[in-house]
Amino acid sequence: MLFRSRAVELANDNAYILGPGDGIQLTFLSPSYAQFGGSFELLSDGSATLPLLGSVVFEGLTLNQAKTWLQTMYGQYLRRPLLNLQVVRQRPLQVSVVGEVENPGLYTLTVAENSTTQSGGAFLSGPPTLVTAIQKAGGLTLNANLGDIRLQRRLPGSVNQLRETNLNLIALLRTGDKRQNPYLFDGDTILVGKADNPPDKVIEFGAANFSPATIKVMLVGEVKSPGLITIPANTPLNKAVLMAGGANQWRGRTTGVELIRVNRNGSVTREMFDLDFSQPVSNLRNPPLRDGDSVVVSRSLYARASDALSAVATPINSLVNVLGLITIISNTGK
């Protein structure tokens, strides 16, 4: 027999909601009913098969709702079936992160996350938080509005009703208000708003805790150590060039350094910047790099002229060598 709760009850909006993959422990307080308890896992339809009751659907219920309902159902078969119900293994959470993050999409988070940010790495045990999800999505974009973060959460019950909460990450950074970094539940959606005129302080705030620890960028052209390098997230352009050994002396141009970026919509932008190693991070003059960026340091006028001269001289040198070989052969034959 398939039972489904139809009770309507006021519940805490932030109470844990049971769903497929959860492991639950059912314990009866009376020793006489101990054989009816045990550990059960909720199947993909949110149900578990329980003694006496058969298949029972728990999906969408809080623990308190499920406990009250089970006592009512078992009351049809047992006398005073007082029981406890607890989650012994929490399912992985799937949350959506959209808006002004580097890699929007659907992410799976576990209750034990290895969280590594610019401010350090930590193995976090417990439900993932809003910041954990943003880090998973590659961090905030430079256009993110830290004061406009919305969290949408499904309410308990079989009807898909949502509650939306407005959050402010600036308050989290400035005052340590942890209420702005709530724990996440399965099915949550995080929407990061866009700032009309993002100030430069967004770069500073975004680099604090909301980005992964490192990114990979490609340095090509006239740098001492070209290739793919791993650098701290939000490293500015001039510092990245220095981390690749700097521009080759005499050969590398410090003006017209090209930044090539593949955007989320698949388009490619190319911008030119002049290297000024005294310039602080700035969107206009010294932008922070993103994962997957390419930086091209072009040849100087001296290097182009030198390479052109070498290219012209190479055939002449080869011709001289051939003539020298012919002379040797001719002299040997005499």
Side-chain angles (χ1 to χ4, degrees):
M1 181 181 295
L2 182 65
F3 293 99
R4 185 182 297 273
S5 172
R6 298 180 184 275
V8 177
E9 149 183 357
L10 292 178
N12 185 348
D13 290 347
N14 290 322
Y16 185 78
I17 301 175
L18 296 170
D22 281 335
I24 60 174
Q25 177 72 40
L26 173 62
T27 305
F28 285 88
L29 301 186
S30 173
S32 302
Y33 302 148
Q35 70 271 25
F36 301 124
S39 298
F40 307 92
E41 180 173 337
L42 303 192
L43 303 178
S44 57
D45 63 352
S47 71
T49 302
L50 303 184
L52 295 181
L53 300 183
S55 184
V56 177
V57 176
F58 290 91
E59 183 176 14
L61 300 179
T62 66
L63 273 175
N64 197 40
Q65 288 174 325
K67 174 184 173 181
T68 302
W69 181 48
L70 285 179
Q71 288 185 155
T72 301
M73 300 306 299
Y74 272 111
Q76 302 177 30
Y77 305 95
L78 305 175
R79 185 177 180 181
R80 298 192 62 185
L82 300 178
L83 56 86
N84 284 328
L85 188 67
Q86 61 180 333
V87 175
V88 293
R89 187 182 63 259
Q90 185 177 331
R91 68 189 184 276
L93 310 181
Q94 284 196 328
V95 300
S96 297
V97 188
V98 297
E100 292 301 319
V101 291
E102 293 293 348
N103 301 301
L106 182 66
Y107 290 89
T108 299
L109 306 174
T110 66
V111 295
E113 285 292 328
N114 187 9
S115 179
T116 306
T117 67
Q118 291 186 75
S119 56
F123 188 77
L124 305 179
S125 180
T129 66
L130 177 84
V131 170
T132 307
I134 290 176
Q135 292 166 359
K136 282 279 189 177
L140 301 171
T141 71
L142 299 181
N143 296 318
N145 185 346
L146 300 185
D148 180 22
I149 311 293
R150 288 171 289 156
L151 175 63
Q152 293 180 346
R153 174 164 297 165
R154 182 167 65 102
L155 298 179
S158 58
V159 180
N160 290 328
Q161 294 180 329
L162 298 177
R163 184 197 67 178
E164 184 171 287
T165 302
N166 294 322
L167 301 169
N168 188 335
L169 292 182
I170 296 179
L172 172 64
L173 291 171
R174 285 180 172 171
T175 66
D177 185 357
K178 294 183 179 179
R179 293 173 300 176
Q180 310 303 320
N181 185 31
Y183 291 116
L184 298 180
F185 288 177
D186 189 40
D188 281 355
T189 298
I190 300 167
L191 303 98
V192 180
K194 183 176 182 179
D196 294 331
N197 297 301
D200 285 341
K201 69 178 180 180
V202 170
I203 303 173
E204 176 186 352
F205 285 145
N209 279 310
F210 308 138
S211 296
T214 60
I215 59 174
K216 294 183 182 295
V217 298
M218 181 68 72
L219 272 293
V220 296
E222 294 296 335
V223 291
K224 293 181 180 178
S225 300
L228 187 66
I229 64 172
T230 300
I231 60 176
N234 291 291
T235 296
L237 175 67
N238 58 9
K239 188 175 180 180
V241 173
L242 287 176
M243 295 177 72
N248 288 324
Q249 191 173 16
W250 302 111
R251 294 188 58 85
R253 288 180 56 191
T254 57
T255 59
V257 173
E258 189 172 16
L259 172 59
I260 303 174
R261 174 169 294 164
V262 179
N263 300 308
R264 290 188 323 202
N265 60 6
S267 64
V268 178
T269 57
R270 305 170 71 114
E271 295 183 84
M272 309 290 281
F273 299 91
D274 294 340
L275 288 183
D276 180 354
F277 296 107
S278 64
Q279 176 71 41
V281 60
S282 166
N283 288 333
L284 297 177
R285 295 184 176 85
N286 187 30
L289 299 183
R290 300 181 189 174
D291 190 51
D293 281 351
S294 295
V295 177
V296 181
V297 178
S298 302
R299 291 179 298 171
S300 65
L301 180 61
Y302 169 82
R304 290 200 299 270
S306 176
D307 292 345
L309 182 60
S310 298
V312 172
T314 298
I316 298 176
N317 292 336
S318 300
L319 179 61
V320 170
N321 291 337
V322 171
L323 292 176
L325 179 60
I326 294 174
T327 301
I328 293 174
I329 295 174
S330 299
N331 292 336
T332 303
K334 290 183 179 179

